[in-house]
Amino acid sequence: MECRVLSVQSHVVRGYVGNKSATFPLQVLGFEVDSINSVQFSNHTGYAHWKGQVLTAEELNVLYEGIKLNKVNHYDYILTGYSRDTSFLGTVVDIIQELKKVNPNLVYVCDPVMGDHGAMYVPEKLLPVYKDKVVPLANLLTPNQFETLSILQVMDLLHKMGPETVVLTSTDLPSKLGDQFLVALGSQKIDGTKISQKICMDIPKVDAVFVGTGDLFAAMLLAWTHQHPKDLKTACEKTVSVMHHVIKRTMAYANEIAGPGKRPSPAQLELRMVQSKADIENPAVVVEAKVLKKFSN
């Protein structure tokens, strides 16, 4: 059966971020992807210069109305990423609510891109919108530790707010493998019960700043949880392994182009997505997830 995703994210002409980072990998894995570009920029904002346009809430609604009028608004998944406008985010919420009425089995995958490393990417007025409206609608949530504010019991608290699956993409927890690894955690409620399976992964750090990796992570988690709906361990292992292969290939290319002793530029660090097609389709598992324990929320 055809599986269709509506992805509402940013778009760049050059490089890989937002929809550019999510669409190709999902298509490679057999998903039909309908993209709404929340922004259209020349390149991501990590470059020295960037230009482009921002989609308004009204323009978003016009696009969705066209889809609805043609009666092609039946989706299996909706995927959302970065948003910095409350009215736009509110319209996204309205669309998700309507799509869930059209298909009660629709799965909403939310990557709440709000901040990292102690800094906010978005205005603080978006926080209550995420807390009160977005998170309760989500089925799968992929925040980092900054976006959840506290690691303690946070996954159980998020489960109680709505999402059945939560993956903390990075935390400040110390890794048993040393300071060259970061720790990611995942939790999945089992068959609608109060019991959850929790997993932990030690992920090798890379000494470079990549853009678009979070968008790729959310897309791959969507794909692999679709393939392994009751096996978060396997889904996370395949997701993180795709990330590992893409980043490793990107780093090797960037270092070669930059030359010995030189730090790669943002352009040289654009993800090597097309070149990683085989790894996206069939990732060799290089990071093992450990099941922590099963317990009641």
Side-chain angles (χ1 to χ4, degrees), residues 111-116 121 127 142-149 169:
D111 181 17
V113 184
M114 292 185 286
D116 202 358
Y121 298 154
L127 295 180
T142 62
N144 59 35
Q145 183 172 337
F146 177 76
E147 288 155 356
T148 56
L149 303 182
T169 54

Side-chain angles (χ1 to χ4, degrees), residues 202-235:
D202 295 282
I203 304 173
K205 293 180 180 178
V206 179
D207 184 22
V209 177
F210 297 96
V211 178
T213 50
D215 307 316
L216 175 61
F217 185 96
M220 291 298 88
L221 195 60
L222 182 161
W224 293 117
T225 53
H226 177 78
Q227 296 288 343
H228 307 281
K230 297 183 179 180
D231 187 355
L232 184 62
K233 179 181 186 295
T234 298

Side-chain angles (χ1 to χ4, degrees), residues 52-66:
Q53 302 82 36
V54 177
L55 194 72
T56 66
E58 292 76 17
E59 291 166 338
L60 170 62
N61 195 55
V62 167
L63 290 175
Y64 176 67
E65 282 297 313

Side-chain angles (χ1 to χ4, degrees), residues 12 14 41-52 266-267 270:
V12 288
R14 171 64 182 262
F41 289 163
S42 55
N43 44 267
H44 70 68
T45 57
Y47 284 75
H49 308 281
W50 53 273
K51 299 287 184 179
E270 292 285 8

Side-chain angles (χ1 to χ4, degrees), residues 8-11 19 36-40 53-55 82 88:
V8 184
Q9 300 194 67
S10 57
H11 170 82
N19 274 331
I36 294 178
N37 299 324
S38 57
V39 304
Q40 178 167 263
Q53 302 82 36
V54 177
L55 194 72
Y82 177 77
F88 187 91

Side-chain angles (χ1 to χ4, degrees), residues 117-191:
H117 305 298
M120 290 289 290
Y121 298 154
V122 300
E124 288 193 21
K125 61 184 178 181
L126 259 71
L127 295 180
V129 182
Y130 272 107
K131 179 183 175 183
D132 300 331
K133 296 182 178 181
V134 178
V135 172
L137 278 176
N139 301 95
L140 196 163
L141 198 66
T142 62
N144 59 35
Q145 183 172 337
F146 177 76
E147 288 155 356
T148 56
L149 303 182
S150 171
I151 195 65
L152 299 175
Q153 299 178 319
V154 72
M155 290 186 291
D156 291 339
L157 290 172
L158 288 170
H159 280 317
K160 290 177 181 178
M161 292 175 69
E164 293 89 357
T165 303
V166 177
V167 177
L168 301 182
T169 54
S170 63
T171 73
D172 290 332
L173 293 174
S175 170
K176 293 180 180 179
L177 301 180
D179 59 8
Q180 295 305 304
F181 291 80
L182 60 83
V183 176
L185 300 171
S187 180
Q188 183 176 52
K189 292 179 73 173
I190 299 174
D191 295 329

Side-chain angles (χ1 to χ4, degrees), residues 173-174 183-186 198-202 287-292:
L173 293 174
V183 176
L185 300 171
K198 287 182 167 54
I199 59 100
C200 174
M201 294 171 289
D202 295 282
V287 178
E288 183 179 355
K290 298 182 287 290
V291 177
L292 300 180

Side-chain angles (χ1 to χ4, degrees), residues 215-261:
D215 307 316
L216 175 61
F217 185 96
M220 291 298 88
L221 195 60
L222 182 161
W224 293 117
T225 53
H226 177 78
Q227 296 288 343
H228 307 281
K230 297 183 179 180
D231 187 355
L232 184 62
K233 179 181 186 295
T234 298
C236 284
E237 286 175 343
K238 289 187 176 181
T239 296
V240 171
S241 294
V242 168
M243 301 295 297
H244 172 85
H245 295 305
V246 172
I247 289 172
K248 183 178 179 181
R249 181 172 287 106
T250 302
M251 199 69 214
Y253 170 82
N255 285 332
E256 180 181 353
I257 297 300

